Amino acid sequence: MDWLIMHSSLWVPAAVAWEAGKPLVIEEVEVAPPQKMEVRMKILFTSLCHTDIFFWDAKGQNPLFPRIFGHEAGGIVESVGEGVTELAPGDHVLPVFTGECKECVHCKSEVSNMCELLRINTDRGVMIHDGKSRFSINGKPINHFVGTSTFSEYTVVHVGCVVKINPLAPLDKVCILSCGISTGFGATVNVAKPKKGSTVAVFGLGAVGLAAAEGARVSGASRIIGVDLHPDKIQLAKQFGVTEFVNPKDHTKPVQEVIIEMTQGGVDRSIECTGQIDCMISAFECVHDGWGVAVLVGVPSKDALFKTHPMNFLNERTLKGTFFGNYKPRSDIPALVEKYMNKELELEKFITHQVPFSEINKAFDYMLKGESIRCIIHMEH
């Protein structure tokens, strides 16, 4: 009987996006059992990330609807499919939008986390195993989002995108490590690698940018220059180590020139967290010649083109990109959770709002108005 329950469909509430830019609708959705190398989990807490907004309004990406969004979450394994041996019902887990198969050339590499099998694919709305959705309403398939779809009480995820964590870790806090905070923090500590006493510029002071600033603070940067169009973020940014603030609208010259003047030649490191192509160019051109390193984090629109003069490279500036902060999800994120447990990493200051699942659209309103860093959505009342 237990086997039948665990391998049967479940009918649960999920927030469905039926059209681009329209409020989500709580629907009763059928969630199929996990298939080969899949895990079905009960989501306890999820969070809204700007990437959800980006693909929900579909202004810069391919629209794919109806869809269940969500990719920052924490939950408990409910059942596992064929071939899953490292996870069992009851395990506390974080689903992650990018995976780690542990078998491809990237997973075996010490320097790459770009899994060939499970790297993010925003245009795929089905599972890898059979090309079918595990969500449906009255027999009509509902598209997945980046393999996670956490705006559902239960979801099905490939085992390679499921991170087993310390069961003592509070899921309502560590759930934000499954995307934005790890991405920004890792972009600084794993990729930019600022030395103690260095100068760092962070473009965009949303959750990812603030996490990047936190990484610079922890690394011992002497100056952390925050660049953002919203002056009301100044006081908040100070909590994450930002020492100076630049609003490009306050200047008639390009912001990279402003930063070069402020720092007598440019910053040692810059991290771009907006996805805006002009910010990416500014982030690269504001680093010091000879040793400056710029790291691009933000997701650009599909038609964006990066343009800069080749001399910027010949003058020994370095441009890098990063994906999920260069963390291998299953290998590295459990240790990041332990950093939080050991009070070496603060997460509470990123969490500004909390709402019940029934009011999930409020989380969208908070983010669209620029009022929240992270809004935790409680799946259970």
Side-chain angles (χ1 to χ4, degrees):
M1 181 62 70
D2 289 343
W3 187 93
L4 287 174
I5 293 172
M6 292 172 62
H7 291 79
S8 301
S9 291
L10 300 174
W11 281 261
V12 303
V16 179
W18 289 101
E19 298 178 61
K22 297 296 176 67
L24 306 188
V25 180
I26 304 294
E27 306 274 13
E28 186 173 85
V29 174
E30 181 179 354
V31 184
Q35 301 302 306
K36 185 177 181 180
M37 301 306 289
E38 294 174 0
V39 174
R40 188 163 65 184
M41 67 181 73
K42 180 179 177 64
I43 300 297
L44 297 181
F45 302 95
T46 186
S47 173
L48 178 65
C49 171
H50 192 269
T51 301
D52 295 306
I53 297 275
F54 193 50
F55 287 90
W56 163 76
D57 69 21
K59 292 177 181 177
Q61 303 292 339
N62 295 324
L64 186 61
F65 297 92
R67 202 170 203 180
I68 297 174
F69 286 98
H71 62 283
E72 275 192 2
I76 297 175
V77 173
E78 178 264 346
S79 59
V80 300
E82 177 189 346
V84 177
T85 58
E86 60 268 54
L87 290 170
D91 285 342
H92 286 220
V93 292
L94 305 181
V96 181
F97 65 91
T98 183
E100 182 184 356
C101 72
K102 297 192 175 183
E103 296 178 359
C104 72
V105 63
H106 284 274
C107 286
K108 291 181 178 179
S109 164
E110 294 183 358
V111 296
S112 174
N113 67 341
M114 300 287 290
C115 177
E116 288 185 350
L117 178 66
L118 299 169
R119 71 176 63 178
I120 188 172
N121 182 341
T122 57
D123 292 331
R124 185 174 62 230
V126 294
M127 299 299 289
I128 291 175
H129 171 59
D130 57 5
K132 296 179 181 179
S133 173
R134 301 290 175 261
F135 299 112
S136 62
I137 297 179
N138 297 324
K140 180 182 179 179
I142 306 297
N143 289 292
H144 292 249
F145 178 62
V146 296
T148 53
S149 292
T150 62
F151 293 167
S152 174
E153 190 176 278
Y154 284 81
T155 189
V156 178
V157 181
H158 190 285
V159 66
C161 296
V162 180
V163 178
K164 182 179 178 180
I165 63 167
N166 184 344
L168 298 179
L171 288 171
D172 61 333
K173 306 295 190 302
V174 299
C175 65
I176 63 175
L177 289 174
S178 58
C179 180
I181 309 310
S182 297
T183 296
F185 190 80
T188 301
V189 301
N190 294 336
V191 187
K193 298 179 180 178
K195 297 178 180 177
K196 188 174 182 179
S198 60
T199 55
V200 177
V202 177
F203 286 73
L205 297 176
V208 176
L210 292 173
E214 181 76 355
R217 183 187 70 80
V218 170
S219 299
S222 61
R223 297 176 69 182
I224 303 174
I225 302 170
V227 183
D228 201 287
L229 297 175
H230 302 283
D232 55 344
K233 292 184 177 181
I234 297 175
Q235 293 305 315
L236 177 65
K238 289 180 180 178
Q239 298 179 35
F240 299 86
V242 173
T243 59
E244 297 154 81
F245 183 84
V246 176
N247 186 339
K249 292 191 294 187
D250 293 340
H251 303 274
T252 56
K253 63 180 68 175
V255 68
Q256 55 265 47
E257 295 182 16
V258 174
I259 293 173
I260 287 171
E261 289 181 5
M262 290 173 61
T263 55
Q264 290 77 53
V267 291
D268 301 308
R269 300 289 186 267
S270 72
I271 301 99
E272 187 285 325
C273 304
T274 71
Q276 300 297 316
I277 197 67
D278 290 342
C279 287
M280 293 181 174
I281 295 168
S282 296
F284 176 54
E285 294 183 354
C286 81
V287 299
H288 207 292
D289 57 3
W291 61 79
V293 177
V295 178
L296 304 186
V297 181
V299 179
S301 65
K302 60 182 180 180
D303 298 321
L305 294 174
F306 187 97
K307 183 178 179 181
T308 191
H309 198 282
M311 283 305 298
N312 287 318
F313 292 99
L314 296 175
N315 287 336
E316 300 180 13
R317 294 178 179 89
T318 299
L319 180 65
K320 292 185 174 184
T322 181
F323 185 67
F324 194 51
N326 274 44
Y327 287 114
K328 292 178 183 286
R330 292 201 284 171
S331 297
D332 298 334
I333 297 306
L336 206 55
V337 170
E338 293 308 312
K339 275 186 174 290
Y340 167 75
M341 297 295 284
N342 295 331
K343 303 188 185 304
E344 299 170 29
L345 177 64
E346 298 179 44
L347 295 180
E348 284 83 358
K349 62 186 179 182
F350 289 96
I351 299 170
T352 54
H353 296 77
Q354 305 201 35
V355 297
F357 185 43
S358 60
E359 299 178 11
I360 188 171
N361 287 302
K362 281 187 177 181
F364 281 71
D365 292 338
Y366 292 141
M367 182 164 285
L368 289 168
K369 292 176 182 177
E371 296 176 357
S372 69
I373 303 177
R374 277 295 180 265
C375 178
I376 302 299
I377 300 157
H378 294 244
M379 302 301 287
E380 296 181 323
H381 292 289

